[in-house]
Amino acid sequence: MKLWKEWDLKTKVVLSFSFLFALSVISSGIFYYHSSVGELKKQTLQLLDTNSTQITRTEELYIDDMEKLSLSVFYDSLVQNVLSHSNETTEAENESLNQQITSHLLNISVSWPSVQGIYLYPTDNPAATYYWAKRSPFVGNSIAEEPWYPYILTYTQSPYLLWPTMTEYTITNFQGVKVFSLIRQINQIPTGKKIGYMKLDMDVNVMKDLVSYREYGEEQDSSLFILTDQGNVIYDSQDQWTGKVMDGIHVADLTGNKASGTLTWQGKSYLYGSYRSESTHWTTLILKPMNSITSRLKEIRNTVMIIESLILVLVIVIAWFIATGITRPLRRMITNMRHVERGDFTIRALHTNNRNEIGQLGKVFNQMLDSLQDMISRVYVAELREKDARLLALQAQINPHFLFNTLSILKSLGRKGATTDVVEVTESLAHMFRYSLYDWNGTVALSEELNLIESYIKIQTYRFQDRFRYEIDVPEKLLKAQVLRLTIQPLVENAVVHGLEQRKSGGLIAIHVRANEGLLEILIADNGVGINLQTQAALNQNLADLDIHSSNTHTEHMGIALLNIQKRLHLIYGHQYGLSFLPTPGGGTTIRLALPLHFE
């Protein structure tokens, strides 16, 4: 707040305009950005939720078709016959049956290009395997070597088991084709006896066309996952996690069959939509990076910020011109006022023809100067002459006072016949008269005023002999300080005449000079009869309230010297300087003379 008060008006106007504009623009921009992000996030979550639901429905339809295909194999008479009597065939018969089964299964699956192989495993002959496959399996492949076999023995959740994606276990799978499998138990018709197992291998790439997910816009940065409850990835649209267990995402945490929201995966924030199928027990999960939601808005935000910055610069320029138009005339007015302060009353404000407030201010300023000049010519000059006349009158009063006191001493010495002493006193008196002939309105060095006191003390020594002594304590650097003529000597004279005249011995007059924060303080102390505290308070009040224009030069308890000195100090320096009495605990009187401290 203090710094704000110290700034000039133009700076305040420019900063105020700029701050208010920037605050309004930034506030509205932040509100628009966050509301837009929130709305876009809401729409994206709705879209992800809808897409995950549709994709899950498509998966279920495909798996239903695969189940129907498996049922056609299940009920096939040749399959039932071969699996029911597989333990009764010879090796040659078994080879012939295998060829028949292969041809037969090929005919069944010809309409399903995604099917990579159909495998039959008789329970009565675990070493035997009948199949049709696009790539040849390993020789001697049996049901015990299949990873799903331990699970199918106890699996009861549905008529078939969907085994997660894995690399096809064949000899000629050089390209690493990945398949997921539908496995079901085959029972004998009509006895219901378990006679074997069937496995359908389906190329996982069928999902690319089956659950193709395309986003709106140019960036295709979403990821589609089909997961089992255990986290096995059936399909990954980015083909990075297909056939693996997905780390960092727990399917159970995706609450409910249908859910959407936000999650953090691999250090990044995503929006997600998911849907779990009750028939396949697979969960479709679509992840949309959060930064892709906000990237476009950030581009718009940055563009808007650049535009707003340019507008802010324009606002600052306009505010600067407005502020300059206001402050430039005011600065000129201040310059004119400073000229007036220095005494140049001929200066005038320009551009007073403007009808705005600045022009009116210039007109009033010029009218004020005209009135001020007229007042100076009629009043101020007359006042200065009155002050000069009063100074001359004061000088006329104080000179007889000095002369009267000194002539009394000369009279006393003359009666004693001390011719040499009369000469010395006369020389001291001559020094004092020469000193007093100069302009009282001028200042002299403190050392000259102290020399005058030395002359006065020399004169008084002849009168009082050894009844008092004189001490002075003045720092050498203050000897050149400027003081008014004849302001200290009359105070010393009062101390001698009114304070020490009644003492027979042991009298003391001391002068102490000190400087205090631009103030020159001169203390004249004596150990004479003193003045009681009540009288001192009355004297101090009278000195403070003294009217320099009053013609009355007598006030109760005050002499001519004090009145004259106080009036001169007030006329020359002002009422903040002058004389005052200080309490003197040891007895006697101490008077303080305060002057402005300056050197020639």
Side-chain angles (χ1 to χ4, degrees):
M1 193 66 179
K2 181 179 179 181
L3 183 60
W4 173 263
K5 292 180 179 179
E6 293 176 353
W7 286 343
D8 56 34
L9 179 60
K10 182 165 72 173
T11 303
K12 290 181 179 179
V13 171
V14 173
L15 288 181
S16 299
F17 269 89
S18 305
F19 174 76
L20 291 176
F21 176 80
L23 180 64
S24 61
V25 169
I26 292 174
S27 301
S28 60
I30 292 175
F31 174 77
Y32 171 77
Y33 175 76
H34 286 286
S35 61
S36 299
V37 169
E39 184 62 28
L40 188 57
K41 178 180 174 181
K42 179 181 177 181
Q43 295 177 1
T44 302
L45 288 174
Q46 292 177 348
L47 181 62
L48 293 176
D49 184 65
T50 302
N51 287 335
S52 62
T53 303
Q54 292 176 349
I55 291 172
T56 301
R57 297 301 185 196
T58 304
E59 295 168 10
E60 290 176 342
L61 291 175
Y62 178 77
I63 297 301
D64 287 344
D65 290 339
M66 291 300 100
E67 184 188 13
K68 292 177 182 178
L69 175 62
S70 69
L71 288 174
S72 65
V73 176
F74 182 97
Y75 291 110
D76 187 82
S77 58
L78 179 60
V79 172
Q80 285 281 327
N81 183 47
V82 169
L83 294 181
S84 297
H85 305 89
S86 61
N87 59 342
E88 302 173 359
T89 59
T90 63
E91 184 176 350
E93 292 174 340
N94 190 47
E95 183 67 27
S96 175
L97 286 174
N98 198 2
Q99 292 179 359
Q100 295 179 34
I101 288 292
T102 299
S103 177
H104 192 65
L105 294 178
L106 174 62
N107 292 331
I108 293 176
S109 63
V110 69
S111 300
W112 302 95
S114 62
V115 176
Q116 298 296 301
I118 303 177
Y119 298 84
L120 301 175
Y121 302 94
T123 55
D124 293 338
N125 187 7
T129 302
Y130 304 101
Y131 67 90
W132 166 83
K134 292 182 178 180
R135 281 166 289 279
S136 301
F138 290 97
V139 176
N141 185 47
S142 65
I143 191 172
E145 298 174 357
E146 294 291 338
W148 47 266
Y149 183 65
Y151 295 92
I152 194 65
L153 294 176
T154 58
Y155 187 76
T156 58
Q157 295 183 16
S158 66
Y160 56 87
L161 169 66
L162 292 175
W163 191 250
T165 301
M166 57 182 294
T167 302
E168 188 181 33
Y169 188 62
T170 59
I171 298 175
T172 56
N173 187 15
F174 304 117
Q175 297 178 346
V177 176
K178 296 178 180 179
V179 296
F180 61 94
S181 305
L182 186 149
I183 304 159
R184 73 182 307 148
Q185 177 180 300
I186 298 179
N187 299 326
Q188 188 180 48
I189 300 174
T191 64
K193 175 186 175 182
K194 181 172 68 174
I195 58 176
Y197 293 96
M198 176 190 61
K199 181 183 74 166
L200 293 178
D201 284 346
M202 289 151 283
D203 189 351
V204 74
N205 288 323
V206 70
M207 293 294 183
K208 290 183 179 180
D209 298 325
L210 187 66
V211 296
S212 61
Y213 171 64
R214 293 192 174 275
E215 304 173 68
Y216 297 105
E218 298 178 357
E219 294 187 6
Q220 305 293 317
D221 54 1
S222 295
S223 298
L224 170 65
F225 300 92
I226 300 176
L227 307 168
T228 66
D229 290 342
Q230 293 74 32
N232 298 94
V233 180
I234 304 296
Y235 172 72
D236 169 19
S237 61
Q238 306 294 333
D239 201 24
Q240 296 179 357
W241 291 90
T242 302
K244 301 178 183 178
V245 177
M246 195 170 189
D247 294 332
I249 294 181
H250 302 284
V251 179
D253 294 339
L254 307 177
T255 57
N257 290 342
K258 185 177 182 181
S260 60
T262 60
L263 57 81
T264 301
W265 181 52
Q266 295 184 336
K268 296 182 179 179
S269 182
Y270 293 87
L271 298 177
Y272 76 89
S274 65
Y275 191 87
R276 184 179 183 274
S277 171
E278 292 296 337
S279 60
T280 64
H281 303 293
W282 288 352
T283 299
T284 301
L285 174 65
I286 304 176
L287 298 181
K288 179 76 173 178
M290 184 69 76
N291 57 9
S292 68
I293 301 294
T294 59
S295 59
R296 181 56 183 166
L297 288 177
K298 287 181 178 178
E299 293 178 4
I300 298 174
R301 180 196 64 187
N302 294 337
T303 302
V304 171
M305 287 180 62
I306 293 174
I307 296 174
E308 291 174 350
S309 300
L310 295 176
I311 296 176
L312 178 59
V313 172
L314 182 60
V315 169
I316 293 174
V317 172
I318 294 174
W320 185 85
F321 276 110
I322 294 174
T324 302
I326 296 173
T327 58
R328 183 183 291 128
L330 292 179
R331 285 199 188 96
R332 291 175 181 169
M333 187 68 67
I334 292 172
T335 302
N336 293 338
M337 289 181 177
R338 287 175 178 168
H339 281 284
V340 174
E341 182 183 10
R342 291 193 294 266
D344 183 7
F345 298 99
T346 61
I347 196 72
R348 290 294 182 273
L350 303 176
H351 306 295
T352 57
N353 294 327
N354 298 334
R355 296 184 178 180
N356 55 26
E357 290 81 357
I358 301 298
Q360 296 298 320
L361 179 62
K363 288 181 180 179
V364 173
F365 179 74
N366 291 343
Q367 292 172 359
M368 180 193 70
L369 289 180
D370 293 338
S371 300
L372 188 59
Q373 272 194 318
D374 182 63
M375 182 184 66
I376 289 172
S377 62
R378 292 185 294 104
V379 179
Y380 182 68
V381 173
E383 182 70 20
L384 290 179
R385 289 177 179 174
E386 180 184 352
K387 287 185 179 181
D388 291 339
R390 290 182 180 275
L391 284 175
L392 292 175
L394 290 173
Q395 185 176 3
Q397 287 181 4
I398 201 167
N399 284 338
H401 189 67
F402 285 150
L403 181 59
F404 174 79
N405 290 327
T406 305
L407 290 177
S408 296
I409 296 173
L410 287 173
K411 179 181 178 181
S412 176
L413 290 175
R415 286 178 178 177
K416 293 178 181 180
T419 308
T420 304
D421 293 340
V422 171
V423 172
E424 189 171 349
V425 171
T426 304
E427 288 179 351
S428 297
L429 180 61
H431 172 242
M432 294 180 65
F433 270 108
R434 284 195 303 270
Y435 186 83
S436 64
L437 290 177
Y438 293 96
D439 182 14
W440 286 22
N441 195 16
T443 59
V444 295
L446 177 62
S447 59
E448 295 187 29
E449 190 74 6
L450 295 177
N451 289 335
L452 177 65
I453 296 173
E454 292 284 349
S455 297
Y456 173 76
I457 293 296
K458 186 178 294 184
I459 294 173
Q460 296 299 338
T461 301
Y462 287 98
R463 177 183 176 186
F464 294 97
Q465 299 301 323
D466 296 330
R467 289 163 59 184
F468 75 91
R469 70 181 189 275
Y470 169 65
E471 294 181 358
I472 182 169
D473 176 22
V474 183
E476 185 176 355
K477 63 180 181 180
L478 296 180
L479 290 175
K480 295 183 178 180
Q482 297 294 301
V483 297
L484 281 179
R485 289 177 180 272
L486 288 174
T487 52
I488 305 176
Q489 185 273 334
L491 302 178
V492 174
E493 182 177 354
N494 278 349
V496 172
V497 174
H498 300 292
L500 302 177
E501 194 171 30
Q502 303 301 323
R503 291 185 69 97
K504 301 301 181 180
S505 64
L508 173 65
I509 295 177
I511 298 179
H512 300 278
V513 182
R514 62 193 179 190
N516 183 16
E517 298 181 354
L519 187 69
L520 180 66
E521 293 182 334
I522 303 173
L523 304 179
I524 299 94
D526 66 76
N527 61 350
V529 295
I531 305 174
N532 61 59
L533 294 179
Q534 184 177 0
T535 304
Q536 280 192 14
L539 288 172
N540 286 332
Q541 186 65 42
N542 291 333
L543 287 171
D545 297 339
L546 185 64
D547 184 7
I548 61 175
H549 297 285
S550 174
S551 60
N552 182 15
T553 57
H554 292 277
T555 304
E556 187 179 1
H557 304 302
M558 295 179 65
I560 296 175
L562 292 181
L563 289 172
N564 289 342
I565 294 173
Q566 187 76 339
K567 285 188 176 183
R568 289 177 62 209
L569 292 174
H570 284 184
L571 280 170
I572 302 301
Y573 296 121
H575 286 75
Q576 66 269 37
Y577 303 99
L579 301 174
S580 60
F581 287 90
L582 302 180
T584 309
T589 304
T590 301
I591 189 166
R592 173 179 175 266
L593 172 60
L595 300 170
L597 177 63
H598 63 86
F599 299 88
E600 187 176 8

